[in-house]
Amino acid sequence: MSKWKRRRLLFMADVHERRGTDPSDVLAGLHELAAEDPYDLEVLLAAAELLSDRAGRRTGTAREADLAASIALLHRCVPLVPPGDYDRWRVFNSLGQRLLLVAQGTDSPEPVAESVLAFREAVAATPHGDRMRQVNQFFLAVQLGEHFERSGDRDAPVEAVQVAREGYATVPPGDELRPMFRTVLITSLRHLAGATAQVEPLQEAVGLAREALSEADSTSDRAGAQFDLVRALRALYDATTDARLLVEAVDLSEQCLAATPRRDPEFNTRRTRLASAVRLLAQDRRDPDLMRRAIDLMRATIETPSAADEHADTLIDLVQSLASLHTMTDDPLALRDAELTARTALAAAPDPGPWRTQAQLTLAEALLYRSSVDARGADAVALHEALGLFQDVAAATPPDHGERGDRLWLLGVTLHDLARHGDGDTAAWRRQARHVFAEAASAAGPPNVRIKSFQQLGAVEAALGDPHASLAAYEAAVALLPQLTPDWLSYRGNIIELRQIEGLPDGAAAAAVELGRPERALELLELSRGILHGRTLEARDLRLLRHRSPELHAEFLRLRTALNSGARDGNSRIDGNGGNDENWDDLMGRIRSLDGMADFLRAPSVQALRRHAEQGPVVIVNISERRCDALILRADAEQPVLTVPLTGLTQADVVAHLLRLARAVFAAPNEPSLLTRRGAQRDLDAILRWLWDRVTSPVLDALGLTAPSSDTQPPPRIWWCPVGLMAYFPLHAAGHHDSGSQAGKATVMDRAVSSYTTTVRALAARFSPPAAGTALHTLVVAVPDAENVPSLPGAAAEAAALAELLPNSLVLSGAQATYENVVRALPAHPVAHLSCHGLTFWENPAAGMLLLHDHLARPLTVEQLSAMELPYADLAYLSACSTSHTHPYNADEALHITGAFQLAGYRRVIGTLWPVNDTTSVEITRATYADLTHGGSTSPRTELSAQALHRAVRALRDRYPASPSLWAGYVHVGH
């Protein structure tokens, strides 16, 4: 072909590319030229560009074919541009761009990984100072981020940050690339935080976003900077769960959207971001009105033409928001709308592709949720439809996909639900569920997903009649718990994470008891409960490891971070678990081979635990779906654990009585009707009788405590360690309190002095007590009047009484009882008495607080108390309402005000299970301290605090046996 025809073809190729017209005839000519001269670089590049351009106007297989042909031509170009060739960067830039287009049509990591390689070569081939080097750096940083999100390659964010920083540093102010580089740097820092489980990159990202906002001149630039800052704040919130970041993000999103014209292409994206932030804030506050605002914003976005992927994302977010609204309000319309919206999302999703898979998953989850809340217990039609959708999702999810384990878990739950509700061949459903849960437990994913998969597998194996396989599955779940300690999470974040193992301790223990292994049951309970308390003990192990082997200590932290970071950054793919399991086992072996480290992160043996029962037995009350038992830990070396089957008790019975208890303790002091209040007291009395008949009487009989104690024979000590929902019940007050004379009463408090403990290990002294002879000076905090809450005249009365009984005490009352004064005084006073309001939050136990004088400005929260280290803490008396109350899912963690004082170091804590009467609180306080101090003549004998509280409460019981709300809610925790 002549040179003139060649020039004409290249000219026409340029024209078609600029006009976007059909280049078929020109492509034919270019292919003919390429066949004549396979080394004609310009012809090959022109043909590749035309094919790519045409692919952008096509869909389906035609688009894929054009892109594949374009990439094949560019690969032919690579040998024609050796290192040093000026055109080398052009070839690799074009190749990277084409691969980027391929990646947009799939969630496979391969085209992204190839595009990263191409842009690396493009950067390397572009001279320093050439603007195209900065352009190639920008695309390389972007694709490294995409590569991280798809593959989980933790080296990618490190390189992305380096590349983005270099580009950002070389682009002068005012250049249009500068804000683009800053945006990609912020994104790269977010990814780096996910890969390294560190908060510092996120804080740097927020700083960069604030810098961009401060430099923005125009309204549009300011809105864009606000949007970037919102994204950074949201990422930092996800890592820290600090609600203040979320509040700022919502405020900035509002400003950003208000400054964005409706015709702006970014309007819908920014409205979607606002909706997402509002939704999270609504969930944080459990505020249905905020959730409705988020829903309105999402619906407005859906009604506006937008990109298909953005539309699909918003529909999916809307489904989840409607489901959340239903959980807050029980509004059936919200549940119906969630399902209808999910069906709309599925109908709008292209087939096949990641959006369709996500839409199928969303609809399946909505159907599974509807089935779980259906009044009949299960909607079989919904379950069957969900089953088909989950099966399609599982088939479309690659084996190395980071969410495969979670998706398989949902499929297994659906199969298990079909079996539990007797739909068809229940054994067949269970066998399928067994297979699915086993695969989910071994699939790529973070520890929390694998733990809940092993947990479900244990339940299924038990239902199939294989107790050995059931115990093995539960043991595998418990063995993974040491990996589930994500240090990058906030205290509140850890609370949310630990909710996912709700039901694991009781199921594992029941499986062991089923096989006649009560000692193993106790060990499993110790490993799987009180994990936040256990982290204090774990910290000792880690300090010792760091001293013995800094290298192994660093390796331990790195591996545990790697295992958990997938749960945080939401990577679609992460490393398979096989290698991580082997690495973890190998690391544990190397650590435990060190001198003195044989028990690193192991549960203490029963023989070690029984030492904590020398002063009295520890009774673990375990309630599971399969069976209910009390495990009695004794100091007996031959038979340290005694099993007492609670054959008259069921899990369903416990749930029913817990609901009755919750209604009664609220109604007893609050209902205006005397008749209703009396009814609530009768309900409480009935619950105490039920507890005696079903739980405590069999335990006391097994211990030989069959008769009330006498004045000449002091009552023995007993420690109660309730598992799960049993933590809400006043086991110490169980009994028939109005049954005949004192000698004939069948009650716990007439036969033993009760204390509570979260775990057996929690009875171990965390800090050394003060030296013998040291005066135990007491801190008395009294807040009779705090802003925005009812007055507590009893607080002032308690302070006055204690000032007489404890003349050397420090009294902080009224305006003196501030956060700063109290926190400063606590370390210097082994005994602390706090008389004030207590406030608990169902969804956010970390925010529970004692209401000091300045609580509106500086609240003293569970999170803050738990972080304290008080070396001489001995006794804390919390004369406040509901200090031992928390969310049921966190019951095994003692995540409440009482538990926070334990974590701070107090060996003994007196708290309350529910709201208590102000007047009787003064009476119990005065009686308890009078007993402890011999009427004010000595310092408090804190080692007798359980007996003193016991006597004070029993005296009040004797006066008001028909009003359990007045006396049954006081508990003693610890030694």
Side-chain angles (χ1 to χ4, degrees):
M1 188 177 291
S2 67
K3 291 182 179 179
W4 182 85
K5 287 185 176 181
R6 178 181 178 278
R7 287 197 299 270
R8 183 178 180 280
L9 278 171
L10 291 172
F11 172 76
M12 292 304 299
D14 182 60
V15 171
H16 281 296
E17 186 182 351
R18 285 187 282 107
R19 291 180 178 176
T21 51
D22 183 20
S24 299
D25 55 336
V26 176
L27 274 171
L30 291 174
H31 281 300
E32 184 181 345
L33 276 174
E36 292 177 5
D37 184 359
Y39 302 105
D40 193 330
L41 179 64
E42 196 169 358
V43 168
L44 293 172
L45 284 173
E49 291 293 336
L50 282 181
L51 284 164
S52 175
D53 184 60
R54 188 171 71 180
R57 300 192 298 274
R58 290 181 163 186
T59 58
T61 55
R63 177 183 183 275
E64 293 173 6
D66 277 350
L67 283 175
S70 177
I71 290 169
L73 287 170
L74 289 167
H75 279 302
R76 288 174 57 185
C77 294
V78 170
L80 306 179
V81 285
D85 192 296
Y86 176 78
D87 288 319
R88 185 174 174 85
W89 75 263
R90 290 179 57 205
V91 171
F92 281 105
N93 176 280
S94 296
L95 180 57
Q97 299 284 0
R98 305 297 86 74
L99 289 164
L100 192 154
L101 292 173
V102 172
Q104 291 174 353
T106 176
D107 62 351
S108 171
E110 284 78 16
V112 178
E114 290 181 36
S115 73
V116 166
L117 294 175
F119 283 120
R120 274 200 197 116
E121 291 290 345
V123 171
T126 314
H128 287 275
D130 191 319
R131 179 174 174 77
M132 287 309 303
R133 179 180 175 85
Q134 296 165 342
V135 172
N136 287 324
Q137 284 177 315
F138 172 78
F139 280 112
L140 175 57
V142 169
Q143 288 304 93
L144 282 165
E146 185 70 17
H147 176 55
F148 170 66
E149 290 185 343
R150 297 196 185 201
S151 70
D153 181 352
R154 292 180 175 85
D155 292 328
V158 178
E159 183 182 358
V161 168
Q162 291 172 344
V163 171
R165 276 187 175 144
E166 181 184 337
Y168 185 55
T170 58
V171 175
D175 191 301
E176 62 181 6
L177 275 176
R178 186 170 176 82
M180 296 168 63
F181 262 116
R182 185 155 45 194
T183 297
V184 76
L185 177 54
I186 290 171
T187 302
S188 301
L189 287 164
R190 179 171 57 83
H191 289 156
L192 181 62
T196 61
Q198 295 176 347
V199 175
E200 289 79 11
L202 295 175
Q203 294 168 335
E204 182 182 349
V206 169
L208 281 168
R210 294 194 192 281
E211 174 187 301
L213 183 57
S214 68
E215 293 177 2
D217 295 327
S218 67
T219 301
S220 61
D221 287 349
R222 183 171 179 79
Q226 287 171 329
F227 184 69
D228 284 344
L229 179 52
V230 166
R231 294 178 64 193
L233 289 167
R234 166 69 186 277
L236 188 55
Y237 165 77
D238 289 342
T240 64
T241 64
D242 184 343
R244 292 171 298 181
L245 299 167
L246 201 54
V247 171
E248 183 181 1
V250 169
D251 182 53
L252 284 166
S253 289
E254 295 272 17
Q255 296 177 40
C256 176
L257 189 64
T260 306
R262 286 185 174 271
R263 63 182 180 277
D264 191 308
E266 292 293 315
F267 183 83
N268 272 344
T269 300
R270 292 171 180 177
R271 179 163 55 188
T272 300
R273 181 66 62 176
L274 171 60
S276 176
V278 172
R279 173 193 166 204
L280 282 174
L281 189 59
Q283 289 175 331
D284 185 89
R285 295 178 173 176
R286 289 194 63 79
D287 186 333
D289 290 331
L290 265 180
M291 188 61 74
R292 291 186 185 97
R293 168 149 170 71
I295 289 169
D296 289 343
L297 287 164
M298 293 174 194
R299 283 185 166 142
T301 298
I302 290 168
E303 292 167 1
T304 306
S306 60
D309 56 350
E310 186 176 274
H311 197 151
D313 276 345
T314 306
L315 280 169
I316 291 167
D317 283 348
L318 178 57
V319 174
Q320 295 167 346
S321 300
L322 287 163
S324 294
L325 181 61
H326 178 266
T327 63
M328 295 177 188
T329 64
D330 287 328
D331 182 356
L333 293 179
L335 186 59
R336 185 206 64 182
D337 287 351
E339 184 179 331
L340 291 175
T341 304
R343 295 189 185 282
T344 301
L346 181 57
D351 187 14
W355 298 119
R356 182 166 185 83
T357 300
Q358 187 61 48
Q360 289 174 316
L361 181 64
T362 301
L363 176 57
E365 288 180 305
L367 291 166
L368 186 61
Y369 177 64
R370 172 156 68 86
S371 169
S372 70
V373 300
D374 185 87
R376 295 166 294 172
D379 186 327
V381 175
L383 279 176
H384 279 283
E385 186 179 359
L387 176 62
L389 288 164
F390 280 133
Q391 287 171 331
D392 290 343
V393 168
T397 306
D400 61 344
H401 197 289
E403 293 184 14
R404 180 167 177 79
D406 210 18
R407 294 174 179 183
L408 286 170
W409 179 81
L410 287 166
L411 172 57
V413 168
T414 307
L415 290 163
H416 197 199
D417 280 357
L418 285 166
R420 285 195 304 170
H421 297 295
D423 186 82
D425 187 344
T426 56
W429 290 129
R430 287 185 177 126
R431 285 192 294 270
Q432 290 185 58
R434 168 203 276 161
H435 173 76
V436 171
F437 284 132
E439 184 181 353
S442 61
N448 60 341
V449 175
R450 302 183 64 208
I451 288 168
K452 66 183 183 181
S453 298
F454 274 124
Q455 179 182 347
Q456 288 284 359
L457 179 59
V460 170
E461 294 286 15
L464 286 169
D466 191 339
H468 292 280
S470 175
L471 179 57
Y474 279 117
E475 287 181 322
V478 173
L480 288 170
L481 288 175
Q483 300 178 13
L484 190 69
T485 48
D487 299 321
W488 41 263
L489 273 178
S490 66
Y491 183 79
R492 184 188 176 196
N494 274 304
I495 289 173
I496 296 170
E497 189 81 3
L498 289 170
R499 286 183 183 178
Q500 299 189 50
I501 66 168
E502 186 267 335
L504 173 59
D506 49 270
V513 172
E514 192 88 7
L515 290 172
R517 300 179 60 188
E519 291 83 3
R520 183 56 178 158
L522 181 57
E523 289 171 351
L524 290 170
L525 286 168
E526 286 296 297
L527 276 171
S528 55
R529 301 179 66 250
I531 290 176
L532 287 183
H533 282 259
R535 285 179 70 178
T536 302
L537 302 176
E538 176 189 308
R540 298 177 183 174
D541 281 354
L542 288 177
R543 285 194 294 269
L544 182 58
L545 175 60
R546 184 171 55 192
H547 174 71
R548 296 285 168 82
S549 175
E551 297 80 10
L552 289 179
H553 177 265
E555 186 175 348
F556 173 84
L557 296 180
R558 181 198 60 76
L559 181 56
R560 190 167 65 178
T561 292
L563 287 163
N564 281 283
S565 60
R568 169 186 178 176
D569 55 48
N571 291 338
S572 60
R573 284 179 170 80
I574 63 174
D575 297 336
N577 287 311
N580 279 333
D581 283 345
E582 294 172 5
N583 292 340
W584 180 266
D585 292 341
D586 174 70
L587 178 60
M588 291 298 104
R590 285 185 285 142
I591 291 173
R592 288 167 181 165
S593 68
L594 297 174
D595 183 36
M597 300 296 294
D599 293 327
F600 179 76
L601 296 190
R602 293 184 197 267
S605 67
V606 169
Q607 290 300 323
L609 290 171
R610 71 180 178 84
R611 293 198 299 269
H612 299 301
E614 290 175 351
Q615 296 182 6
V618 182
V619 181
I620 299 94
V621 183
N622 189 62
I623 309 301
S624 76
E625 190 174 11
R626 290 160 53 196
R627 59 180 295 142
C628 301
D629 302 277
L631 302 176
I632 303 177
L633 177 67
R634 305 174 300 173
D636 187 340
E638 296 297 322
Q639 190 182 7
V641 182
L642 179 66
T643 303
V644 179
L646 303 177
T647 54
L649 193 65
T650 66
Q651 189 180 66
D653 203 19
V654 170
V655 172
H657 278 80
L658 177 57
L659 294 173
R660 188 180 184 187
L661 175 68
R663 289 191 295 265
V665 297
F666 175 80
N670 294 314
E671 285 293 334
S673 165
L674 176 62
L675 188 62
T676 302
R677 294 199 302 273
R678 286 178 175 173
Q681 298 290 0
R682 285 194 295 271
D683 282 345
L684 282 173
D685 181 68
I687 290 168
L688 297 182
R689 292 169 181 267
W690 165 78
L691 279 174
W692 172 263
D693 295 338
R694 297 290 187 266
V695 181
T696 60
S697 178
V699 168
L700 296 185
D701 287 347
L703 289 170
L705 302 178
T706 56
S709 58
S710 64
D711 293 337
T712 58
Q713 183 180 1
R717 292 289 304 277
I718 187 171
W719 276 264
W720 299 99
C721 183
V723 178
L725 297 180
M726 288 305 299
Y728 285 87
F729 291 99
L731 295 168
H732 67 287
H736 298 255
H737 291 275
D738 58 353
S739 56
S741 66
Q742 186 74 16
K745 285 187 185 297
T747 74
V748 174
M749 66 173 56
D750 287 302
R751 299 189 185 184
V753 174
S754 294
S755 294
Y756 288 83
T757 185
T758 307
T759 62
V760 179
R761 286 177 299 164
L763 291 174
R766 180 173 164 192
F767 297 113
S768 299
T774 302
L776 297 181
H777 293 306
T778 302
L779 168 66
V780 178
V781 178
V783 189
D785 293 291
E787 286 191 73
N788 293 355
V789 291
S791 62
L792 281 177
E798 286 186 23
L802 294 182
E804 293 180 9
L805 291 168
L806 303 164
N808 293 320
S809 61
L810 170 64
V811 179
L812 299 176
S813 183
Q816 293 179 314
T818 63
Y819 174 95
E820 183 177 354
N821 288 341
V822 170
V823 169
R824 185 171 57 242
L826 282 172
H829 295 83
V831 179
H833 181 93
L834 296 99
S835 180
C836 55
H837 280 291
L839 188 62
T840 59
F841 295 93
W842 186 261
E843 285 298 319
N844 184 11
M849 65 182 75
L850 292 173
L851 302 189
L852 302 179
H853 181 74
D854 58 346
H855 69 94
L856 294 179
R858 300 192 69 184
L860 182 60
T861 66
V862 166
E863 180 174 0
Q864 292 164 331
L865 285 164
S866 300
M868 292 182 181
E869 290 196 5
L870 306 176
Y872 302 117
D874 192 356
L875 169 66
Y877 189 129
L878 310 178
S879 184
C881 292
S882 306
T883 64
S884 303
H885 189 73
T886 189
H887 194 289
Y889 288 167
N890 295 126
D892 283 321
E893 290 301 314
L895 297 173
H896 41 58
I897 301 168
T898 301
F901 274 86
Q902 277 188 289
L903 278 172
Y906 286 92
R907 301 184 72 211
R908 308 166 178 90
V909 185
I910 294 172
T912 56
L913 290 174
W914 55 63
V916 291
N917 181 274
D918 190 40
T919 301
T920 54
S921 287
V922 177
E923 185 173 336
I924 290 177
T925 294
R926 184 184 291 112
T928 300
Y929 281 96
D931 195 330
L932 289 177
T933 63
H934 275 307
S937 61
T938 68
S939 295
R941 297 167 299 161
T942 57
E943 71 279 5
L944 300 177
S945 56
Q947 291 89 336
L949 178 68
H950 170 83
R951 285 188 282 267
V953 169
R954 194 171 67 173
L956 193 64
R957 186 279 315 263
D958 291 343
R959 287 164 51 199
Y960 306 109
S963 299
S965 72
L966 297 178
W967 43 265
Y970 291 88
V971 292
H972 182 275
V973 181
H975 286 276

